[in-house]
Short mmCIF file of all heavy atoms in Angstrom, two decimals:
data_model
loop_
_atom_site.label_atom_id
_atom_site.label_comp_id
_atom_site.label_asym_id
_atom_site.label_seq_id
_atom_site.Cartn_x
_atom_site.Cartn_y
_atom_site.Cartn_z
N ILE Z 135 47.96 186.64 115.16
CA ILE Z 135 48.33 185.97 113.92
C ILE Z 135 47.32 184.91 113.49
O ILE Z 135 47.65 184.01 112.73
CB ILE Z 135 49.74 185.35 114.03
CG1 ILE Z 135 49.83 184.39 115.23
CG2 ILE Z 135 50.81 186.43 114.14
CD1 ILE Z 135 51.15 183.65 115.33
N GLU Z 136 46.09 185.05 113.97
CA GLU Z 136 45.07 184.04 113.67
C GLU Z 136 44.86 183.91 112.16
O GLU Z 136 44.61 182.82 111.63
CB GLU Z 136 43.70 184.39 114.31
CG GLU Z 136 43.78 184.64 115.79
CD GLU Z 136 43.78 186.12 116.12
OE1 GLU Z 136 44.65 186.83 115.55
OE2 GLU Z 136 42.96 186.56 116.93
N ASP Z 137 44.98 185.01 111.42
CA ASP Z 137 44.72 185.02 109.98
C ASP Z 137 45.88 184.48 109.16
O ASP Z 137 45.79 184.36 107.92
CB ASP Z 137 44.37 186.43 109.51
CG ASP Z 137 43.10 186.95 110.12
OD1 ASP Z 137 42.26 186.12 110.56
OD2 ASP Z 137 42.94 188.20 110.19
N LEU Z 138 46.99 184.13 109.85
CA LEU Z 138 48.18 183.69 109.11
C LEU Z 138 48.35 182.18 109.13
O LEU Z 138 49.26 181.64 108.50
CB LEU Z 138 49.44 184.31 109.72
CG LEU Z 138 49.50 185.84 109.83
CD1 LEU Z 138 50.83 186.27 110.46
CD2 LEU Z 138 49.36 186.47 108.46
N LEU Z 139 47.47 181.47 109.83
CA LEU Z 139 47.71 180.05 110.11
C LEU Z 139 47.88 179.18 108.88
O LEU Z 139 48.64 178.22 108.89
CB LEU Z 139 46.58 179.48 110.97
CG LEU Z 139 46.59 179.96 112.42
CD1 LEU Z 139 45.37 179.41 113.18
CD2 LEU Z 139 47.87 179.53 113.13
N GLU Z 140 47.19 179.51 107.79
CA GLU Z 140 47.28 178.66 106.59
C GLU Z 140 48.29 179.19 105.59
O GLU Z 140 48.51 178.57 104.54
CB GLU Z 140 45.91 178.58 105.92
CG GLU Z 140 44.82 178.01 106.80
CD GLU Z 140 45.18 176.66 107.43
OE1 GLU Z 140 45.83 175.84 106.73
OE2 GLU Z 140 44.86 176.43 108.60
N ARG Z 141 48.96 180.28 105.92
CA ARG Z 141 49.92 180.86 105.00
C ARG Z 141 51.30 180.17 105.16
O ARG Z 141 51.68 179.73 106.24
CB ARG Z 141 50.09 182.36 105.25
CG ARG Z 141 48.89 183.14 104.72
CD ARG Z 141 49.01 184.61 105.08
NE ARG Z 141 50.20 185.24 104.51
CZ ARG Z 141 50.49 186.53 104.70
NH1 ARG Z 141 49.68 187.30 105.44
NH2 ARG Z 141 51.59 187.03 104.18
N PRO Z 142 52.09 180.09 104.07
CA PRO Z 142 53.45 179.53 104.18
C PRO Z 142 54.36 180.56 104.89
O PRO Z 142 54.29 181.75 104.60
CB PRO Z 142 53.89 179.35 102.72
CG PRO Z 142 53.00 180.26 101.92
CD PRO Z 142 51.72 180.39 102.65
N PRO Z 143 55.17 180.08 105.83
CA PRO Z 143 56.02 181.01 106.62
C PRO Z 143 56.93 181.89 105.76
O PRO Z 143 57.17 183.04 106.12
CB PRO Z 143 56.84 180.07 107.49
CG PRO Z 143 55.98 178.86 107.64
CD PRO Z 143 55.27 178.71 106.32
N HIS Z 144 57.40 181.36 104.62
CA HIS Z 144 58.34 182.17 103.81
C HIS Z 144 57.66 183.36 103.16
O HIS Z 144 58.34 184.26 102.65
CB HIS Z 144 59.02 181.30 102.76
CG HIS Z 144 58.12 180.84 101.65
ND1 HIS Z 144 57.38 179.69 101.72
CD2 HIS Z 144 57.83 181.39 100.43
CE1 HIS Z 144 56.67 179.53 100.61
NE2 HIS Z 144 56.94 180.56 99.81
N ARG Z 145 56.35 183.41 103.22
CA ARG Z 145 55.61 184.56 102.67
C ARG Z 145 55.34 185.64 103.72
O ARG Z 145 54.67 186.62 103.41
CB ARG Z 145 54.30 184.10 102.05
CG ARG Z 145 54.42 183.18 100.84
CD ARG Z 145 54.83 183.96 99.62
NE ARG Z 145 54.93 183.14 98.44
CZ ARG Z 145 53.92 182.85 97.62
NH1 ARG Z 145 52.73 183.30 97.90
NH2 ARG Z 145 54.13 182.10 96.56
N LEU Z 146 55.81 185.46 104.91
CA LEU Z 146 55.52 186.42 105.99
C LEU Z 146 56.62 187.50 106.06
O LEU Z 146 57.71 187.32 105.58
CB LEU Z 146 55.48 185.68 107.33
CG LEU Z 146 54.48 184.52 107.46
CD1 LEU Z 146 54.57 183.92 108.85
CD2 LEU Z 146 53.06 184.94 107.13
N SER Z 147 56.28 188.59 106.73
CA SER Z 147 57.28 189.63 107.00
C SER Z 147 58.18 189.16 108.14
O SER Z 147 57.89 188.17 108.81
CB SER Z 147 56.61 190.95 107.39
OG SER Z 147 56.04 190.81 108.69
N THR Z 148 59.28 189.88 108.35
CA THR Z 148 60.20 189.51 109.44
C THR Z 148 59.49 189.49 110.77
O THR Z 148 59.68 188.57 111.58
CB THR Z 148 61.39 190.49 109.48
OG1 THR Z 148 62.09 190.41 108.24
CG2 THR Z 148 62.34 190.13 110.62
N GLY Z 149 58.68 190.51 111.03
CA GLY Z 149 57.97 190.58 112.31
C GLY Z 149 56.99 189.45 112.50
O GLY Z 149 56.87 188.88 113.58
N GLU Z 150 56.28 189.09 111.44
CA GLU Z 150 55.34 187.97 111.49
C GLU Z 150 56.06 186.68 111.74
O GLU Z 150 55.65 185.82 112.53
CB GLU Z 150 54.51 187.93 110.21
CG GLU Z 150 53.53 189.05 110.07
CD GLU Z 150 52.92 189.16 108.67
OE1 GLU Z 150 53.55 188.62 107.71
OE2 GLU Z 150 51.87 189.77 108.53
N LYS Z 151 57.19 186.50 111.04
CA LYS Z 151 58.01 185.28 111.24
C LYS Z 151 58.49 185.18 112.68
O LYS Z 151 58.48 184.10 113.27
CB LYS Z 151 59.22 185.29 110.31
CG LYS Z 151 58.89 185.04 108.84
CD LYS Z 151 60.17 185.12 108.00
CE LYS Z 151 59.87 184.90 106.53
NZ LYS Z 151 61.11 185.05 105.71
N ARG Z 152 58.92 186.33 113.25
CA ARG Z 152 59.40 186.33 114.63
C ARG Z 152 58.29 185.88 115.58
O ARG Z 152 58.53 185.11 116.53
CB ARG Z 152 59.92 187.70 114.98
CG ARG Z 152 60.78 187.79 116.25
CD ARG Z 152 62.17 187.22 116.04
NE ARG Z 152 62.89 187.82 114.96
CZ ARG Z 152 63.55 189.00 115.02
NH1 ARG Z 152 63.55 189.68 116.13
NH2 ARG Z 152 64.22 189.45 113.98
N LYS Z 153 57.09 186.37 115.36
CA LYS Z 153 55.97 186.01 116.21
C LYS Z 153 55.67 184.51 116.12
O LYS Z 153 55.43 183.84 117.13
CB LYS Z 153 54.70 186.80 115.83
CG LYS Z 153 54.73 188.27 116.13
CD LYS Z 153 53.44 188.92 115.64
CE LYS Z 153 53.44 190.41 115.81
NZ LYS Z 153 52.19 191.01 115.31
N VAL Z 154 55.71 183.99 114.92
CA VAL Z 154 55.44 182.57 114.69
C VAL Z 154 56.53 181.72 115.34
O VAL Z 154 56.24 180.71 116.01
CB VAL Z 154 55.34 182.24 113.18
CG1 VAL Z 154 55.25 180.73 112.96
CG2 VAL Z 154 54.16 182.95 112.56
N ALA Z 155 57.79 182.16 115.22
CA ALA Z 155 58.90 181.41 115.83
C ALA Z 155 58.75 181.37 117.35
O ALA Z 155 58.98 180.32 117.98
CB ALA Z 155 60.23 182.02 115.44
N ILE Z 156 58.39 182.49 117.94
CA ILE Z 156 58.22 182.54 119.41
C ILE Z 156 57.03 181.69 119.80
O ILE Z 156 57.11 180.92 120.80
CB ILE Z 156 58.08 183.99 119.89
CG1 ILE Z 156 59.37 184.77 119.64
CG2 ILE Z 156 57.74 184.03 121.39
CD1 ILE Z 156 59.26 186.26 119.93
N ALA Z 157 55.93 181.79 119.08
CA ALA Z 157 54.75 180.98 119.39
C ALA Z 157 55.06 179.49 119.30
O ALA Z 157 54.57 178.68 120.08
CB ALA Z 157 53.61 181.34 118.44
N SER Z 158 55.91 179.10 118.33
CA SER Z 158 56.22 177.68 118.13
C SER Z 158 57.04 177.12 119.28
O SER Z 158 57.05 175.90 119.50
CB SER Z 158 56.99 177.50 116.81
OG SER Z 158 58.30 178.00 116.91
N VAL Z 159 57.69 178.01 120.06
CA VAL Z 159 58.40 177.57 121.26
C VAL Z 159 57.51 177.65 122.48
O VAL Z 159 57.44 176.70 123.29
CB VAL Z 159 59.66 178.45 121.46
CG1 VAL Z 159 60.27 178.18 122.83
CG2 VAL Z 159 60.69 178.17 120.36
#
Side-chain angles (χ1 to χ4, degrees):
I135 55 175
E136 308 100 307
D137 297 338
L138 305 180
L139 288 177
E140 302 307 322
R141 286 175 59 180
H144 70 272
R145 295 286 181 87
L146 304 181
S147 71
T148 299
E150 289 168 340
K151 288 178 181 177
R152 195 74 57 80
K153 291 178 185 179
V154 173
I156 295 173
S158 71
V159 170

